[in-house]
Structure formats: structure tokens, C-alpha cells
Amino acid sequence: AVRFEVVMAPALRAVAVATVVVSPAMAVVLRGSQEPANSTYIGEVVHSVAASELSSFDLGCYMEADPSPLESGGAKGRSYRGLASTTVSGRTCQNWLPDHPWTVDITPSEDKKTKVDAEDPESDETMAWGNGLGNHNYCRNPDSSMEAPWCYTMDPNEKHKKELCE
């Protein structure tokens, strides 16, 4: 068995056995114990399986322009929150947080929903899209620098540092 340490989302804190998709090619079943004080789940990998291919829902689509006046900052795929993690050339995307092989000089920012009328619980909401970055290697367009979602690749060749995603 392989030892692991995973910080679990609050909704999963009471789970003793969980299936987690690690990448499009692998899913693992985890068994262990939760440490409530710091919400770290410590245990072992008890089974791993090949995950099914990503569906069109998982890959998602992206908006070329903000679809309504209630949304801002999501054009050119900046609002894309799909699970694609390979480029058009087939290269694997780099995780956005580590600086290997490329340094990422973009700070993660959150999506922000706000009620149009804070006094009315039925009021429409506005969405100010953040950049979608975090501890993952999914395609994003965090700085709107390209016409569609992209990523830094794991290829150390400068020529393939940054590519559009499929």
C-alpha cells in the first residue's frame, strides 16, 4: 500500500473511504482516518483503477464573450472550469502552483457571485469570474492572454512552454 496525505474538502471530512480521480488515467480508493483539527485525511491507497475517459461534460466548453450583462471577466475562456489537461499537441499541462518546469507568475483569484439586490433573496446574481487557478493542471485562460484556455506544459523546451488546449 502507498501512504498518502490529502487535505479533504469540508463536505468529505467524515468520509473514511473515498474514491478520488487523480488524473484522467487513474482513480484511487482511499482508506484512512480524518484528523478534524487540521482537516487532513491520512491513510493508504487500497485500490487503483483506470478512470474512464473524460466526457464532453468534463471537458466542457468555453465562452468566447461574456454571455450576459450579469457576468464579467469570463470571455476568451477565462470562465472555463472543465477538466481538460492536455494541449492541442498532446502535451500534459503543468500544475498551476508548482514552479516546475515553468514559473507561474499569476496569483489564483476566486470567482465572486453577488446579488443584484442584497435585500431580495430572489434577486439575480452577478458573476465576476476569477482566474480558476489552484492545485491542479486543468486548462485555463487566467490572464486572457490567448483566445481560448491554455496551460504551461510539462515539456521543458521553451518552444512548448505555453500551448492552447484541446
Side-chain angles (χ1 to χ4, degrees), residues 32-110:
S33 60
Q34 184 69 33
E35 294 182 13
N38 61 9
S39 63
T40 299
Y41 185 90
I42 300 174
E44 62 185 352
V45 175
V46 293
H47 179 68
S48 66
V49 295
S52 59
E53 285 191 34
L54 293 176
S55 69
S56 59
F57 175 79
D58 295 327
L59 294 172
C61 57
Y62 67 91
M63 297 293 189
E64 292 177 348
D66 287 328
S68 90
L70 296 174
E71 291 190 33
S72 63
K76 298 181 1 180
R78 190 160 188 246
S79 62
Y80 174 73
R81 297 297 182 266
L83 304 178
S85 60
T86 55
T87 67
V88 291
S89 69
R91 287 178 173 77
T92 300
C93 293
Q94 171 185 317
N95 186 306
W96 289 99
L97 298 184
D99 286 336
H100 180 75
W102 305 106
T103 299
V104 178
D105 290 327
I106 306 170
T107 303
S109 64
E110 295 180 358

Side-chain angles (χ1 to χ4, degrees), residues 136-148:
H136 60 77
N137 71 332
Y138 303 133
C139 300
R140 298 292 185 255
N141 192 1
D143 56 358
S144 302
S145 63
M146 298 183 90
E147 292 302 311

